[in-house]
Amino acid sequence: MENDAFYEYFAPKAEQAGIKKGIEQGIEQGIEQGIERGIEQGIEQGIEQGIEQGIGIGEQKKEETILRSQREAVCSTVQNRFGSVPVILTQAVDKARSIDSLVDMRVYALTQANSLDDLVSYARNCVF
């Protein structure tokens, strides 16, 4: 009878202690797994964003290089055709943010502009 009383007294407490310990271990393992998965997902997302930003930066630098090249081409064309590039025209060319507008300006300088004043007027009114 003593075994039964001993068992009846301690078994439920041992069971409750085991359950509590199991829950604590489960929570700890769940947290560890959650952290590991979060880190993995964070790294993957960081890599993807880095690649996307790198591509965006590369495209932006490429466009800036083309704009710079077109600005130089416009100024060179004007200088070859008219002998000098007025500051006001250089400023207008520097403000251009479109490759198309710079190409249009260069074509106008080569084909239709009759004077620097004509070209400056075109730059102010039509392209920029």
Side-chain angles (χ1 to χ4, degrees), residues 4-21:
D4 289 338
F6 183 78
Y7 176 80
E8 285 181 24
Y9 178 77
F10 285 106
K13 292 184 183 221
E15 184 178 1
Q16 288 301 316
I19 290 171
K20 184 179 176 184
K21 181 77 172 178

Side-chain angles (χ1 to χ4, degrees), residues 36-51:
E36 288 175 13
R37 287 183 187 156
I39 290 171
E40 289 172 5
Q41 288 176 352
I43 290 171
E44 288 173 8
Q45 289 176 354
I47 290 170
E48 288 174 9
Q49 288 176 354
I51 289 170

